[in-house]
Amino acid sequence: MSAEEFNHSFFNANHTPWFVYDCTIVLDADYRRIALFLIYLFVFMVGLLENGLVVWVNWRRRHSANGVLFCIINVSLSDLMVIVILPFFMMEVTMDKVWLWGRFLCKVTNLIYVVNFYSSSFFLAFMTLERYLSLTRPTFPALFPVVGKRRWVLCGGLWILSFFLALMENIHVDILEWDEPGCYMMPEYSFREWFISVAFLCLIFQFLVPAAVIITCNVLIARAVQTAPDVQGRRDVWLVHVYSLVFIMCWLPYHLVMFLMIIDDIDGMLFSCNAIEALYFSFSVVQGISLFHCVANPILYNFLSKSFRDNLINTVVSYIPREETLNQVGAGPNAPNGGGGGEPGKHRKLSNASTSQSDVGS
């Protein structure tokens, strides 16, 4: 929903005439629409499959899982929420920002979209912090304990905070009848103040704070793994840094463009007309690119984990109506309940030192 893009054009057309008459750059919006449609289609198809598998496999062991896996489930649920509403955005892009599904769906889809912005980052940050504490301070109480009300209170608190932050924008989202109906954030009063406030909240709570936690904890995790004398996963230390890199790659372009938009709203004469056109032309593109976190998260935090792959195979095999196959899997070394021999203490020690997020406490 290119609310900021529309609002900016509307505002400047009424207050800075040079914006309308002095532009020399010509950008073809059709290419942007095609790119956005393909991005949405890819994220919808791949993300729906990946996150559906993650929730399906991990939900079966949610009661015995530790805090890391509990956060992974919430991240996938958050990503699934935004994935299921992507068809609305795909149709909106196809019809050049025309919204045909009424005021209720306009508000609901925008709310879900923005809630995912915050909730996904919050749970990734808490998951990384939980991971760091489990490796370096094993006696420290878990942030998301296996049992007890604290897990659900903290989980509910993160969702409520995400909902509250999203609601600050969503209360101003409505259908605007111009040439065609469109779904935009259009405050009745003080648009500039509202837009700057919402953008700064998003920058701080969705990006800067989670990024600081994720990067700091991952650097400390990498150091701890490198110094451990008996860790098999030392060769995978690079993966810890990939977690941070992917988060930055998904969200930095969006927030960088958003920050420049804030500067333009504060001082509308700072940038040239061509720079403004390029800036707002690219906004919806980087907004679409940010959705790649819905595809990257399941791969990084689940499919690269041997524990998750074993559980996925066992879950699929459990639905195959072959008694002999089920018996073999139940007695195998990769059985969900720890089948096969081995030393439990050693297995947990190596599991806790692994660089893969979902291997903790498997």
Side-chain angles (χ1 to χ4, degrees):
M1 299 187 189
S2 305
E4 291 83 2
E5 182 180 7
F6 171 83
N7 290 331
H8 172 87
S9 301
F10 180 83
F11 179 83
N12 283 281
N14 287 274
H15 294 82
T16 54
W18 61 265
F19 181 87
V20 178
Y21 299 111
D22 287 353
C23 286
T24 58
I25 189 173
V26 178
L27 299 173
D28 193 341
D30 289 337
Y31 289 113
R32 180 179 60 177
R33 290 168 55 196
I34 294 173
L36 280 175
F37 181 85
L38 293 177
I39 290 174
Y40 290 155
L41 181 62
F42 174 80
V43 172
F44 176 75
M45 296 177 62
V46 179
L48 185 63
L49 176 62
E50 289 180 348
N51 287 280
L53 286 175
V54 170
V55 174
W56 179 50
V57 173
N58 290 332
W59 189 259
R60 294 163 58 91
R61 51 186 182 137
R62 65 190 182 279
H63 296 300
S64 59
N66 64 354
V68 172
L69 190 57
F70 187 74
C71 289
I72 289 176
I73 294 174
N74 279 276
V75 170
S76 294
L77 287 174
S78 176
D79 291 344
L80 273 177
M81 288 169 56
V82 74
I83 287 172
V84 296
I85 65 172
L86 282 182
F88 291 103
F89 299 157
M90 293 164 61
M91 294 299 297
E92 185 185 28
V93 167
T94 303
M95 295 182 291
D96 196 16
K97 305 176 187 177
V98 177
W99 186 264
L100 301 178
W101 299 279
R103 184 172 183 265
F104 176 76
L105 283 178
C106 168
K107 284 184 168 291
V108 169
T109 54
N110 182 82
L111 182 63
I112 293 174
Y113 184 82
V114 182
V115 165
N116 169 263
F117 260 45
Y118 294 104
S119 60
S120 179
S121 296
F122 288 164
F123 281 106
L124 281 178
F126 268 84
M127 176 177 63
T128 310
L129 180 59
E130 180 89 61
R131 174 67 171 152
Y132 165 72
L133 293 175
S134 68
L135 286 175
T136 61
R137 293 176 172 81
T139 59
F140 193 86
L143 298 177
F144 289 91
V146 176
V147 295
K149 294 182 178 180
R150 193 175 72 178
R151 163 187 279 202
W152 301 104
V153 170
L154 184 55
C155 175
L158 292 179
W159 281 107
I160 292 174
L161 177 60
S162 302
F163 178 82
F164 173 76
L165 291 171
L167 199 61
M168 295 186 65
E169 174 181 335
N170 198 70
I171 57 176
H172 296 296
V173 171
D174 211 335
I175 296 293
L176 179 64
E177 295 281 353
W178 209 15
D179 292 336
E180 297 285 352
C183 184
Y184 302 106
M185 188 188 82
M186 196 67 184
E188 187 174 354
Y189 303 103
S190 305
F191 162 73
R192 175 184 293 177
E193 289 76 10
W194 268 107
F195 169 67
I196 293 175
S197 300
V198 170
F200 263 118
L201 285 174
C202 184
L203 176 65
I204 294 171
F205 287 97
Q206 193 278 330
F207 182 67
L208 293 181
V209 173
V213 174
I214 291 172
I215 294 174
T216 302
C217 290
N218 280 335
V219 169
L220 295 176
I221 289 171
R223 290 181 178 178
V225 172
Q226 285 177 327
T227 57
D230 57 348
V231 174
Q232 294 179 348
R234 186 162 50 243
R235 65 186 182 276
D236 296 328
V237 170
W238 62 270
L239 184 60
V240 177
H241 300 297
V242 172
Y243 295 148
S244 302
L245 180 62
V246 170
F247 183 85
I248 297 299
M249 290 177 61
C250 286
W251 292 111
L252 180 59
Y254 171 83
H255 287 284
L256 181 60
V257 171
M258 181 69 75
F259 182 72
L260 294 176
M261 292 165 63
I262 294 174
I263 295 177
D264 177 60
D265 273 336
I266 295 175
D267 185 356
M269 304 296 292
L270 185 62
F271 299 115
S272 67
C273 179
N274 288 340
I276 296 300
E277 281 289 280
L279 179 65
Y280 284 87
F281 181 87
S282 64
F283 174 74
S284 55
V285 177
V286 297
Q287 193 176 34
I289 291 174
S290 69
L291 290 173
F292 277 104
H293 75 274
C294 298
V295 175
N297 289 339
I299 296 175
L300 290 176
Y301 300 107
N302 293 275
F303 291 102
L304 292 181
S305 163
K306 185 179 184 298
S307 170
F308 176 82
R309 295 196 302 270
D310 291 342
N311 279 280
L312 174 61
I313 294 173
N314 287 317
T315 302
V316 173
V317 171
S318 68
Y319 283 89
I320 300 177
R322 293 174 58 186
E323 184 176 355
E324 60 274 14
T325 302
L326 293 176
N327 291 334
Q328 292 176 4
V329 173
N334 294 325
N337 295 322
E343 303 175 26
K346 182 178 180 181
H347 173 75
R348 175 168 292 276
K349 185 176 182 181
L350 292 177
S351 175
N352 285 340
S354 170
T355 59
S356 181
Q357 298 279 7
S358 58
D359 278 340
V360 181
S362 300

